[in-house]
Amino acid sequence: MKIKLNWGFGIVLAFVGFIGFIMYFVITMSSDNKYSHDLVASDYYKKELNYQENIDATKNAKKLKENIKIERVKKGLKIIFPKELNASSIKGKVFLYRPSNKQLDFEMPITVSDSSYLLMPDKRLLDGRWNIIVDWTYNGQSYLFKKEIFY
């Protein structure tokens, strides 16, 4: 039996080929771990409920005479707190977020000596883009500092 190819058969064959091509990519993208579609944070919605507190803490930080400064030094990343504050009363945490690889994210408690700065060790930081979040309290007042840095 001989099949006669006409334009209608060609159109149907093109649609079937296109649909097969699209389905291949949909299945590949949804099943391969290389194309993971995770949220930025696993507790995203919980963090969203505290958003107004973050806004207030950011406003408090901006009201200071001088805000936190970040410098790159040979030993790592130096986070300098305002000199007007008593360094021993500063409590909180520093969170470094790497957008390209969540395995590199880490959090460190703030332990400031009389020199009023915190040193993040160089061995923990790879070259590239980092988002740094410093969440700290001083005398019961919350402060928040966020910055995008390239190390």
Side-chain angles (χ1 to χ4, degrees):
M1 185 166 141
K2 193 174 183 182
I3 298 176
K4 186 175 180 184
L5 299 176
N6 60 19
W7 62 271
F9 183 75
I11 290 174
V12 169
L13 189 62
F15 275 126
V16 169
F18 179 73
I19 291 170
F21 178 73
I22 295 298
M23 290 303 294
Y24 165 75
F25 278 107
V26 167
I27 291 169
T28 301
M29 295 296 272
S30 63
S31 63
D32 195 350
N33 288 336
K34 186 169 79 173
Y35 304 111
S36 178
H37 297 78
D38 294 335
L39 290 172
V40 172
S42 59
D43 57 347
Y44 174 78
Y45 296 107
K46 182 180 175 185
K47 287 184 177 181
E48 189 66 29
L49 294 174
N50 298 330
Y51 196 66
Q52 185 60 45
E53 293 172 11
N54 291 345
I55 292 171
D56 295 339
T58 304
K59 285 181 182 178
N60 291 338
K62 289 181 180 180
K63 288 179 188 176
L64 294 170
K65 291 179 186 173
E66 63 176 315
N67 207 342
I68 291 176
K69 294 179 185 171
I70 298 175
E71 295 178 0
R72 184 174 180 176
V73 294
K74 288 184 180 181
K75 293 182 180 180
L77 195 65
K78 192 175 186 181
I79 301 170
I80 305 167
F81 289 91
K83 293 180 181 174
E84 66 194 59
L85 307 177
N86 181 8
S88 61
S89 299
I90 296 173
K91 306 287 182 224
K93 61 186 176 183
V94 177
F95 179 66
L96 274 101
Y97 165 71
R98 179 74 177 231
S100 62
N101 187 349
K102 81 175 172 183
Q103 277 73 29
L104 296 175
D105 297 353
F106 67 95
E107 189 174 291
M108 188 173 172
I110 296 174
T111 52
V112 182
S113 61
D114 293 332
S115 56
S116 74
Y117 71 86
L118 174 68
L119 185 65
M120 305 295 284
D122 188 48
K123 63 184 177 189
R124 304 265 330 246
L125 300 167
L126 297 176
D127 290 345
R129 179 175 173 237
W130 290 88
N131 291 346
I132 184 167
I133 300 170
V134 183
D135 185 13
W136 52 290
T137 58
Y138 179 75
N139 292 338
Q141 188 79 27
S142 296
Y143 298 92
L144 185 68
F145 175 81
K146 293 182 182 181
K147 188 172 184 179
E148 178 181 305
I149 59 171
F150 290 91
Y151 190 78

Short mmCIF file of all heavy atoms in Angstrom, two decimals, residues 106-129:
data_model
loop_
_atom_site.label_atom_id
_atom_site.label_comp_id
_atom_site.label_asym_id
_atom_site.label_seq_id
_atom_site.Cartn_x
_atom_site.Cartn_y
_atom_site.Cartn_z
N PHE A 106 25.48 31.00 54.65
CA PHE A 106 25.79 30.73 56.05
C PHE A 106 25.40 31.91 56.92
O PHE A 106 25.22 33.03 56.46
CB PHE A 106 27.26 30.36 56.26
CG PHE A 106 28.25 31.45 55.99
CD1 PHE A 106 28.73 32.23 57.02
CD2 PHE A 106 28.73 31.67 54.70
CE1 PHE A 106 29.65 33.23 56.78
CE2 PHE A 106 29.65 32.67 54.46
CZ PHE A 106 30.12 33.44 55.51
N GLU A 107 25.23 31.61 58.20
CA GLU A 107 24.83 32.59 59.19
C GLU A 107 25.86 32.57 60.31
O GLU A 107 26.37 31.51 60.67
CB GLU A 107 23.45 32.21 59.73
CG GLU A 107 22.82 33.25 60.60
CD GLU A 107 21.41 32.86 60.96
OE1 GLU A 107 20.55 32.86 60.06
OE2 GLU A 107 21.18 32.54 62.14
N MET A 108 26.14 33.75 60.85
CA MET A 108 27.16 33.86 61.88
C MET A 108 26.65 34.81 62.96
O MET A 108 26.14 35.89 62.64
CB MET A 108 28.43 34.40 61.24
CG MET A 108 29.63 34.41 62.09
SD MET A 108 31.03 34.88 61.03
CE MET A 108 32.26 35.05 62.27
N PRO A 109 26.77 34.45 64.24
CA PRO A 109 26.34 35.38 65.29
C PRO A 109 27.31 36.56 65.37
O PRO A 109 28.49 36.44 65.07
CB PRO A 109 26.39 34.53 66.56
CG PRO A 109 27.35 33.44 66.25
CD PRO A 109 27.26 33.19 64.77
N ILE A 110 26.78 37.69 65.79
CA ILE A 110 27.60 38.89 65.93
C ILE A 110 28.32 38.84 67.28
O ILE A 110 27.68 38.79 68.32
CB ILE A 110 26.75 40.16 65.82
CG1 ILE A 110 26.14 40.26 64.42
CG2 ILE A 110 27.58 41.40 66.12
CD1 ILE A 110 25.17 41.41 64.26
N THR A 111 29.62 38.82 67.20
CA THR A 111 30.46 38.92 68.39
C THR A 111 31.45 40.05 68.13
O THR A 111 32.41 39.89 67.40
CB THR A 111 31.22 37.61 68.66
OG1 THR A 111 31.90 37.22 67.48
CG2 THR A 111 30.27 36.51 69.08
N VAL A 112 31.14 41.20 68.71
CA VAL A 112 31.93 42.40 68.46
C VAL A 112 32.75 42.72 69.70
O VAL A 112 32.24 42.76 70.81
CB VAL A 112 31.01 43.60 68.11
CG1 VAL A 112 31.83 44.83 67.81
CG2 VAL A 112 30.13 43.25 66.93
N SER A 113 34.04 42.94 69.48
CA SER A 113 34.91 43.33 70.59
C SER A 113 34.89 44.86 70.73
O SER A 113 34.06 45.53 70.13
CB SER A 113 36.33 42.83 70.32
OG SER A 113 36.82 43.41 69.14
N ASP A 114 35.80 45.39 71.47
CA ASP A 114 35.86 46.85 71.66
C ASP A 114 36.20 47.59 70.38
O ASP A 114 35.99 48.79 70.29
CB ASP A 114 36.88 47.19 72.74
CG ASP A 114 36.44 46.69 74.11
OD1 ASP A 114 35.22 46.60 74.33
OD2 ASP A 114 37.31 46.41 74.95
N SER A 115 36.73 46.88 69.39
CA SER A 115 37.12 47.52 68.14
C SER A 115 35.91 47.84 67.25
O SER A 115 36.06 48.46 66.22
CB SER A 115 38.10 46.63 67.39
OG SER A 115 37.53 45.36 67.18
N SER A 116 34.72 47.39 67.62
CA SER A 116 33.44 47.64 66.94
C SER A 116 33.41 47.16 65.48
O SER A 116 32.82 47.79 64.64
CB SER A 116 33.02 49.10 67.04
OG SER A 116 33.80 49.92 66.19
N TYR A 117 34.05 46.03 65.22
CA TYR A 117 33.90 45.42 63.90
C TYR A 117 33.88 43.90 64.03
O TYR A 117 34.32 43.33 65.01
CB TYR A 117 35.00 45.86 62.93
CG TYR A 117 36.38 45.32 63.21
CD1 TYR A 117 36.77 44.08 62.71
CD2 TYR A 117 37.30 46.05 63.96
CE1 TYR A 117 38.03 43.59 62.97
CE2 TYR A 117 38.56 45.56 64.21
CZ TYR A 117 38.92 44.32 63.71
OH TYR A 117 40.16 43.82 63.96
N LEU A 118 33.30 43.27 63.02
CA LEU A 118 33.22 41.82 62.94
C LEU A 118 33.94 41.38 61.68
O LEU A 118 33.76 41.99 60.62
CB LEU A 118 31.74 41.39 62.89
CG LEU A 118 31.45 39.92 62.66
CD1 LEU A 118 31.88 39.11 63.88
CD2 LEU A 118 29.98 39.71 62.40
N LEU A 119 34.75 40.35 61.77
CA LEU A 119 35.51 39.87 60.63
C LEU A 119 34.95 38.54 60.16
O LEU A 119 34.92 37.57 60.91
CB LEU A 119 36.99 39.72 61.00
CG LEU A 119 37.93 39.34 59.86
CD1 LEU A 119 37.98 40.44 58.82
CD2 LEU A 119 39.31 39.06 60.39
N MET A 120 34.48 38.50 58.90
CA MET A 120 34.02 37.26 58.29
C MET A 120 35.25 36.63 57.63
O MET A 120 35.88 37.27 56.79
CB MET A 120 32.95 37.53 57.23
CG MET A 120 31.77 38.33 57.73
SD MET A 120 30.82 37.50 58.97
CE MET A 120 29.94 36.35 57.99
N PRO A 121 35.61 35.38 57.97
CA PRO A 121 36.83 34.78 57.44
C PRO A 121 36.80 34.60 55.93
O PRO A 121 35.77 34.27 55.35
CB PRO A 121 36.91 33.43 58.17
CG PRO A 121 35.58 33.20 58.76
CD PRO A 121 34.88 34.49 58.86
N ASP A 122 37.95 34.80 55.33
CA ASP A 122 38.11 34.72 53.88
C ASP A 122 37.83 33.32 53.36
O ASP A 122 37.34 33.15 52.25
CB ASP A 122 39.53 35.16 53.50
CG ASP A 122 39.72 35.29 52.01
OD1 ASP A 122 38.86 35.93 51.36
OD2 ASP A 122 40.71 34.75 51.49
N LYS A 123 38.13 32.30 54.15
CA LYS A 123 37.96 30.91 53.68
C LYS A 123 36.50 30.54 53.45
O LYS A 123 36.21 29.62 52.71
CB LYS A 123 38.59 29.94 54.67
CG LYS A 123 37.96 29.96 56.04
CD LYS A 123 38.68 29.05 57.00
CE LYS A 123 38.03 29.18 58.38
NZ LYS A 123 38.75 28.52 59.40
N ARG A 124 35.55 31.27 54.04
CA ARG A 124 34.12 30.98 53.86
C ARG A 124 33.53 31.69 52.65
O ARG A 124 32.42 31.37 52.23
CB ARG A 124 33.33 31.41 55.10
CG ARG A 124 33.75 30.84 56.40
CD ARG A 124 33.07 29.62 56.91
NE ARG A 124 31.72 29.32 56.62
CZ ARG A 124 30.73 29.29 57.49
NH1 ARG A 124 30.96 29.63 58.74
NH2 ARG A 124 29.53 28.91 57.14
N LEU A 125 34.24 32.67 52.11
CA LEU A 125 33.71 33.50 51.04
C LEU A 125 34.40 33.21 49.71
O LEU A 125 35.61 33.36 49.60
CB LEU A 125 33.87 34.97 51.39
CG LEU A 125 33.17 35.43 52.67
CD1 LEU A 125 33.66 36.81 53.06
CD2 LEU A 125 31.68 35.43 52.47
N LEU A 126 33.64 32.82 48.73
CA LEU A 126 34.16 32.63 47.38
C LEU A 126 33.94 33.91 46.58
O LEU A 126 33.05 34.70 46.90
CB LEU A 126 33.44 31.47 46.68
CG LEU A 126 33.63 30.09 47.31
CD1 LEU A 126 32.79 29.07 46.57
CD2 LEU A 126 35.07 29.67 47.31
N ASP A 127 34.74 34.08 45.55
CA ASP A 127 34.56 35.26 44.70
C ASP A 127 33.19 35.20 44.03
O ASP A 127 32.71 34.14 43.65
CB ASP A 127 35.65 35.30 43.62
CG ASP A 127 37.01 35.62 44.19
OD1 ASP A 127 37.08 36.08 45.34
OD2 ASP A 127 38.01 35.41 43.48
N GLY A 128 32.58 36.37 43.91
CA GLY A 128 31.28 36.46 43.26
C GLY A 128 30.32 37.33 44.04
O GLY A 128 30.69 38.05 44.96
N ARG A 129 29.05 37.22 43.68
CA ARG A 129 28.01 38.06 44.27
C ARG A 129 27.48 37.42 45.55
O ARG A 129 27.20 36.24 45.61
CB ARG A 129 26.86 38.22 43.29
CG ARG A 129 25.75 39.06 43.84
CD ARG A 129 24.67 39.31 42.82
NE ARG A 129 23.57 39.98 43.48
CZ ARG A 129 22.34 39.51 43.48
NH1 ARG A 129 22.04 38.40 42.86
NH2 ARG A 129 21.39 40.15 44.10
#
